[in-house]
Amino acid sequence: MATSTIKEFLVTYLMPEKCYYELFLNFHFHVPCLKFVLNKTAGFWIILDTFLAQLPQLIKMLWGGSAEGLSLSAFFLQLYAFSCPVVYTMANNFPLFAWADRLFMLAQTVAIVFLILHYRGDTVRGVLLLFALCGVMLLLRSYAAAAVISVIQASSLAAFIASKVLQATTNYHNGHTGQLSTLSVLLSFAGCLGVAFVSLQENGNSPVSLSHILSACLSCVLLAQILCYKAGAVSTTKKTV
């Protein structure tokens, strides 16, 4: 019964039945099947990253009532990075279902930036930021040249990478990761790995693929910082006790 359930799940979501027999019954590491499964897995990671990566960070901030340890500059860059594809799709009149996931991620990031400012006693600035962001995005959508929109879209990945560098630097200087969410970083790491894998399949060792690999490595650095600083804090607490 358990084997049947596992087979049904794998065949339904991850692989054709032929690949199931090759990999799990014949124990034959069939390369096309392995690539198919990896592509499927990468797709799931990317979807999880797109819809959920920012949500644990938002919940942790609301639950703790603090934005300690979070780099405002890093999240401003993330805000820019997530705004770029939304502006691009709006300017090119893509249907909403084609970019609703990006809009959802942008909304979560806007909420995070607002909370950082709010918990630092700068609520008015946070509200003004929301209005300014909406205004700029609408102006770009309506009046910016296509070449400008394309450059903005192309710069989003660089901004996302820079945001991770800034957050990692902040963690290092603070000696802790504060309210940085482990789950958010883990989802981002998985998503970046998925995008890097797909990009390598489609583009080979192109600058874009290497940029996605760099982004995944930086997410790994952030995850390592969280684990190391937490382990250090636990060790210090035990010594004190």
Side-chain angles (χ1 to χ4, degrees), residues 10 13 39 55 67 72 87 103 126 156 160 167 193 201 227 238:
L10 292 175
Y13 296 105
N39 275 312
L55 200 57
L72 181 60
V87 171
L103 185 62
S156 62
F160 194 52
Q167 185 60 60
L193 277 181
Q201 296 294 310
L227 297 176
K238 287 182 178 179

Side-chain angles (χ1 to χ4, degrees), residues 198-219:
V198 173
S199 183
L200 283 170
Q201 296 294 310
E202 295 178 352
N203 306 313
N205 295 325
S206 67
V208 173
S209 298
L210 295 176
S211 297
H212 286 302
I213 292 171
L214 176 60
S215 181
C217 290
L218 288 169
S219 291

Side-chain angles (χ1 to χ4, degrees), residues 45 49 52-58 60 70 75 78 160 164 167-168 171 177-193 215-227 230:
W45 287 349
D49 177 33
L52 299 177
Q54 298 290 70
L55 200 57
Q57 182 63 68
L58 184 59
K60 184 171 183 177
L70 301 181
F75 280 95
Q78 286 191 30
F160 194 52
K164 295 181 181 183
Q167 185 60 60
N171 294 341
T177 54
Q179 290 292 97
L180 190 62
S181 168
T182 307
L183 184 55
S184 281
V185 174
L186 183 61
L187 287 170
S188 177
F189 174 56
C192 289
L193 277 181
S215 181
C217 290
L218 288 169
S219 291
C220 185
V221 169
L222 290 172
L223 190 59
Q225 284 182 322
I226 291 173
L227 297 176
K230 281 187 176 179

Side-chain angles (χ1 to χ4, degrees), residues 29-67:
F29 292 102
H30 192 243
V31 174
C33 284
L34 286 173
K35 289 180 72 173
F36 184 89
V37 171
L38 287 173
N39 275 312
K40 274 279 191 177
T41 305
F44 283 126
W45 287 349
I46 293 169
I47 291 170
L48 285 173
D49 177 33
T50 302
F51 283 99
L52 299 177
Q54 298 290 70
L55 200 57
Q57 182 63 68
L58 184 59
I59 292 171
K60 184 171 183 177
M61 293 171 68
L62 289 169
W63 188 266
S66 168

Side-chain angles (χ1 to χ4, degrees), residues 16-32:
E17 193 166 0
K18 176 186 174 182
C19 288
Y20 175 82
Y21 285 116
E22 288 286 347
L23 296 173
F24 293 96
L25 297 182
N26 299 331
F27 299 104
H28 175 219
F29 292 102
H30 192 243
V31 174

Side-chain angles (χ1 to χ4, degrees), residues 147-185:
V148 174
I149 297 294
S150 296
V151 170
I152 290 173
Q153 167 69 358
S155 67
S156 62
L157 180 56
F160 194 52
I161 290 171
S163 74
K164 295 181 181 183
V165 173
L166 285 176
Q167 185 60 60
T169 304
T170 299
N171 294 341
Y172 176 76
H173 287 308
N174 290 342
H176 61 79
T177 54
Q179 290 292 97
L180 190 62
S181 168
T182 307
L183 184 55
S184 281
V185 174

Side-chain angles (χ1 to χ4, degrees), residues 43-174:
F44 283 126
W45 287 349
I46 293 169
I47 291 170
L48 285 173
D49 177 33
T50 302
F51 283 99
L52 299 177
Q54 298 290 70
L55 200 57
Q57 182 63 68
L58 184 59
I59 292 171
K60 184 171 183 177
M61 293 171 68
L62 289 169
W63 188 266
S66 168
E68 182 188 9
L70 301 181
S71 168
L72 181 60
S73 300
F75 280 95
F76 267 133
L77 282 172
Q78 286 191 30
L79 188 61
Y80 171 79
F82 295 139
S83 299
C84 292
V86 173
V87 171
Y88 180 82
T89 52
M90 289 171 61
N92 287 280
N93 296 314
F94 288 3
L96 179 61
F97 68 81
W99 52 279
D101 56 335
R102 301 294 177 181
L103 185 62
F104 182 62
M105 182 176 283
L106 175 61
Q108 294 175 65
T109 310
V110 167
I112 290 171
V113 171
F114 173 78
L115 285 176
I116 292 174
L117 290 168
H118 172 67
Y119 290 137
R120 293 181 181 180
D122 209 349
T123 306
V124 175
R125 188 181 169 198
V127 173
L128 292 175
L129 171 70
L130 297 180
F131 286 109
L133 178 67
C134 293
V136 170
M137 289 178 68
L138 289 174
L139 286 172
L140 286 171
R141 177 211 180 277
S142 303
Y143 300 108
V148 174
I149 297 294
S150 296
V151 170
I152 290 173
Q153 167 69 358
S155 67
S156 62
L157 180 56
F160 194 52
I161 290 171
S163 74
K164 295 181 181 183
V165 173
L166 285 176
Q167 185 60 60
T169 304
T170 299
N171 294 341
Y172 176 76
H173 287 308
N174 290 342

